[in-house]
Amino acid sequence: MKPLQIKKIGLYVCLSLLWIGLTPTLRAQTELKENKNFEILKNLEIFSTAYKELELNYVDEIEPGSLIKTALDAMLRSLDPYTVYIPESDVEDYKIMTLGQYGGIGSTIHTRNGEVYISEPYKGFPADKANLKPGDKIIAINGEETKGKSSADVSTMLKGQAGTTFEITIERQGVSKPITVSLTRKEIKIDNVTFFELFPDSIGYIRLDGFTQGAAKEVKEAFFELKKQGMKALILDLRYNGGGLMNEAVQIVNLFCPKGIPVVSTKGKVEDKNTVYYTMDSPVDLQIPIVCLNSRATASASEIVSGALQDYDRAVIVGERTFGKGLVQNIIPLVYNSQMKITVSKYYIPSGRCVQAIDYSHRDEEGMANKIPDSLRTAFKTKAGRIVYDGYGIEPDVELEEEMTTNVGVSLITKFLIFDYANEFKRKQEKIGLVKEFEITDIIYKDFLNFMKDKDYSYETRSESLLKEFKKYAQADSCYKEVEPELEALKKSIAKTKENDLIKNKEEIKKMLKAEIASRYYYQAGRAEAELKGDKIVAKAVQVLNSTKEYSLILGQ
């Protein structure tokens, strides 16, 4: 027998043995797939049968769409908070969230005691041009009363095709009769960069509040404008920015990093969709020192920007540890114009780390998903060799906590008392001058205290809440009478400490008043500028940028 024939026979034998060895594995895989398919079909049939029996037998009429949506929502809630069903009626709202544009009047609204009010018109848009003001109560739209409707219902009524006209009827404080005005809807594009300014010492500041379409372009334009004014260092403020479009994050990193380097990669179940996103363009500046500001609410695309800049040692991160959202969602079209937003992958920044903080695939006995424990976090290295960790957001290079709002501050905001006073202030005073020069003087604060004399700003402290709970248990244990005098004395003592809250927390309340009043004259940009005064985290960023030695030391240069 020829050697070639022997080799062929040997190859056939090897292949046969390999097939024999693989056959049980392939059979097992086939059986697993068939079992899974059977489970799917079985449970779909159970669901279908259960719904049919409800329709036939339930005592009251049931609403099919509402019931099925409830079932879908409950099913998806068991996965993660970002995988959601989007009915046709909500598709437009998701377009606004991703593209940052919609047909409407250009104003935020809020509900208060069952009625809807104008909160904050955007400068230059239909609501502003029609002279609608914060605090105007919306009582009718095209003659249809709004009382009892939610802000979501009224928002739907206000939105529509750009170019369409409708009438809005409002009630205004100090005006005896309702006002009806005609408005023409416009394509509303929400700005991502709400404020930018050149500080002393040639330090530029850009506040980025969103990652909708065009965010990178807005940052680039603000950057060039600041460069014209003589900027030599930059603060990029991403605090409370919940993220948005990944491609905008990649482009923003590209402004300050070389062309052709990876910014973020995605890994999921469908391998064909796993992607590495690279910088595609020439940067605008590779040398300018940068400090990036983060907060605990900095998330998603914001974490890609700050994380990539940290991994490439391109910026010092100042502030708080970020939220830790390392999951990527895609919008998947369904039948009947509905959609589903599905978590399809995790993302990884240049060092290789994923910032996802919560493990939704493993839940405790109560069904709660928990944060990834420190023991399971992995160390990675930045380009310069600095140690960074995965599993819980972006840790700052310089950690500083945001100041927490006091209980009385929360009460003044949630009960719209700061909001109402700002409206009254604007009615009395036509101008305030430049925001940077405007202050809440003692005279203004005294006026605010007079305004508050007949207002309810009560709130329940944690101590009062615990006392209530203790009272409940004491009554259940039949020992309340014995401890009642001490409990009442404690209650009175706590109440007494709250009497002078408006005086004790004067400085905090002044900051709130300044920001709210500034927004009445200079819109969102005025609010942003006013909030900078006395900002300790911004002050620290300025300090770091003013010290070449400290900046370089932090980055390991």
Side-chain angles (χ1 to χ4, degrees):
M1 191 176 287
K2 293 180 181 178
L4 184 59
Q5 289 175 317
I6 293 170
K7 283 183 180 179
K8 283 184 177 179
I9 291 168
L11 179 62
Y12 293 148
V13 170
C14 287
L15 288 172
S16 299
L17 290 171
L18 180 62
W19 174 252
I20 291 165
L22 285 174
T23 299
T25 304
L26 292 170
R27 189 183 297 122
Q29 288 175 344
T30 303
E31 286 175 0
L32 279 172
K33 190 173 181 181
E34 286 175 353
N35 286 339
K36 188 174 183 181
N37 288 338
F38 172 72
E39 279 296 303
I40 293 168
L41 290 170
K42 181 183 86 172
N43 284 288
L44 284 173
E45 190 173 353
I46 290 169
F47 181 84
S48 173
T49 307
Y51 179 81
K52 178 184 172 185
E53 294 303 325
L54 280 173
E55 182 66 44
L56 289 172
N57 298 300
Y58 188 70
V59 62
D60 295 321
E61 282 296 316
I62 59 175
E63 209 287 300
S66 176
L67 198 63
I68 298 296
K69 185 179 183 303
T70 301
L72 281 168
D73 289 345
M75 175 178 71
L76 299 179
R77 205 178 299 121
S78 69
L79 301 175
D80 66 51
Y82 314 110
T83 298
V84 293
Y85 169 64
I86 310 168
E88 184 179 7
S89 58
D90 293 344
V91 166
E92 196 64 25
D93 288 336
Y94 275 85
K95 179 185 171 188
I96 293 166
M97 288 168 63
T98 53
L99 300 180
Q101 59 189 55
Y102 61 96
I105 66 170
S107 176
T108 54
I109 58 175
H110 67 265
T111 307
R112 187 172 172 184
N113 300 323
E115 294 177 304
V116 179
Y117 294 78
I118 296 286
S119 298
E120 197 166 17
Y122 298 129
K123 185 178 180 180
F125 286 107
D128 179 39
K129 288 182 176 179
N131 202 33
L132 295 184
K133 300 179 184 296
D136 286 345
K137 185 199 296 183
I138 303 171
I139 59 173
I141 297 171
N142 275 342
E144 183 180 346
E145 289 189 8
T146 59
K147 190 169 184 179
K149 293 185 185 295
S150 67
S151 56
D153 294 332
V154 175
S155 178
T156 301
M157 294 167 74
L158 292 172
K159 289 171 190 163
Q161 189 69 35
T164 55
T165 301
F166 68 99
E167 286 188 340
I168 184 170
T169 304
I170 58 144
E171 285 181 359
R172 179 172 294 165
Q173 187 77 24
V175 178
S176 58
K177 293 182 179 179
I179 302 167
T180 298
V181 294
S182 180
L183 287 172
T184 300
R185 295 181 181 93
K186 182 180 177 181
E187 193 72 21
I188 308 297
K189 176 67 178 75
I190 301 168
D191 288 338
N192 293 282
V193 172
T194 49
F195 180 72
F196 65 92
E197 183 181 48
L198 188 68
F199 292 166
D201 302 322
S202 301
I203 294 172
Y205 171 88
I206 298 174
R207 175 164 159 171
L208 182 66
D209 282 335
F211 276 88
T212 61
Q213 205 167 63
K217 182 173 179 284
E218 292 177 44
V219 172
K220 186 176 181 179
E221 288 171 351
F223 181 85
F224 280 135
E225 181 56 39
L226 291 169
K227 284 284 277 185
K228 278 184 194 173
Q229 296 174 30
M231 175 176 64
K232 294 179 182 175
L234 173 65
I235 298 170
L236 179 62
D237 194 344
L238 295 173
R239 290 176 295 175
Y240 304 100
N241 185 328
L245 299 175
M246 183 183 288
N247 65 302
E248 297 292 337
V250 174
Q251 290 175 49
I252 289 170
V253 173
N254 195 169
L255 296 175
F256 309 110
C257 292
K259 179 180 178 179
I261 61 171
V263 175
V264 61
S265 60
T266 61
K267 296 177 186 176
K269 185 186 289 183
V270 183
E271 288 189 19
D272 291 347
K273 290 187 177 181
N274 292 346
T275 309
V276 180
Y277 296 86
Y278 292 87
T279 52
M280 303 292 287
D281 302 310
S282 298
V284 299
D285 197 317
L286 290 176
Q287 302 301 323
I288 190 167
I290 303 170
V291 165
C292 190
L293 306 184
N294 285 346
S295 73
R296 69 197 70 177
T298 299
S300 191
S302 295
E303 292 175 289
I304 292 173
V305 171
S306 58
L309 293 176
Q310 186 180 56
D311 282 355
Y312 284 123
D313 306 294
R314 187 63 189 87
V316 170
I317 311 301
V318 174
E320 298 176 313
R321 188 201 295 263
T322 61
F323 181 80
K325 181 180 181 289
L327 305 176
V328 181
Q329 287 75 42
N330 282 353
I331 301 287
I332 310 294
L334 303 178
V335 294
Y336 299 107
N337 297 319
S338 59
Q339 298 177 349
M340 195 182 296
K341 182 157 70 86
I342 302 177
T343 298
V344 294
S345 59
K346 292 181 179 178
Y347 72 74
Y348 299 80
I349 51 180
S351 61
R353 56 185 168 142
C354 178
V355 302
Q356 179 60 25
I358 298 176
D359 181 6
Y360 292 107
S361 63
H362 296 91
R363 295 176 182 264
D364 59 24
E365 292 176 358
E366 296 177 356
M368 296 293 293
N370 296 306
K371 287 183 176 176
I372 296 166
D374 287 344
S375 59
L376 295 181
R377 297 178 68 203
T378 305
F380 293 82
K381 288 185 178 180
T382 70
K383 187 180 177 183
R386 296 184 296 144
I387 300 296
V388 288
Y389 291 90
D390 68 354
Y392 190 179
I394 305 296
E395 291 184 68
D397 301 309
V398 179
E399 187 166 9
L400 279 177
E401 287 191 2
E402 295 277 352
E403 291 181 1
M404 296 296 289
T405 307
T406 61
N407 285 326
V408 68
V410 171
S411 178
L412 292 173
I413 292 167
T414 56
K415 294 185 178 184
F416 298 99
L417 295 169
I418 298 284
F419 178 86
D420 287 345
Y421 179 76
N423 294 339
E424 184 171 291
F425 186 94
K426 178 65 167 67
R427 284 193 292 271
K428 291 177 181 177
Q429 194 159 319
E430 188 180 344
K431 296 178 181 177
I432 61 168
L434 297 174
V435 174
K436 62 181 70 177
E437 296 171 0
F438 173 68
E439 295 296 340
I440 302 297
T441 63
D442 287 342
I443 293 171
I444 294 173
Y445 200 73
K446 186 178 179 182
D447 184 58
F448 171 70
L449 293 177
N450 287 331
F451 168 83
M452 288 295 298
K453 278 183 179 176
D454 59 347
K455 306 296 188 298
D456 171 29
Y457 61 96
S458 59
Y459 61 91
E460 186 174 77
T461 65
R462 191 178 174 192
S463 303
E464 288 170 319
S465 177
L466 288 170
L467 278 179
K468 263 190 188 177
E469 199 167 343
F470 182 81
K471 179 179 177 180
K472 185 175 69 176
Y473 284 116
Q475 287 171 333
D477 292 339
S478 303
C479 64
Y480 177 63
K481 282 187 178 180
E482 287 80 358
V483 298
E484 185 179 10
E486 286 86 354
L487 281 179
E488 287 303 312
L490 274 172
K491 251 174 94 175
K492 284 177 184 176
S493 180
I494 292 168
K496 191 169 180 61
T497 65
K498 290 165 65 178
E499 280 178 6
N500 296 316
D501 272 348
L502 297 182
I503 302 300
K504 281 189 299 184
N505 299 288
K506 180 179 177 180
E507 292 309 310
E508 176 194 44
I509 296 167
K510 274 187 169 186
K511 288 179 184 178
M512 293 176 176
L513 287 169
K514 180 176 178 176
E516 194 68 31
I517 289 170
S519 75
R520 296 298 181 272
Y521 298 87
Y522 297 103
Y523 305 88
Q524 290 77 19
R527 182 190 297 277
E529 185 176 359
E531 287 172 348
L532 286 176
K533 186 73 181 288
D535 189 320
K536 292 178 182 177
I537 293 178
V538 171
K540 181 61 182 178
V542 170
Q543 179 195 311
V544 170
L545 289 170
N546 275 327
S547 172
T548 305
K549 184 179 179 182
E550 183 178 3
Y551 182 83
S552 299
L553 191 64
I554 291 169
L555 293 179
Q557 295 171 347

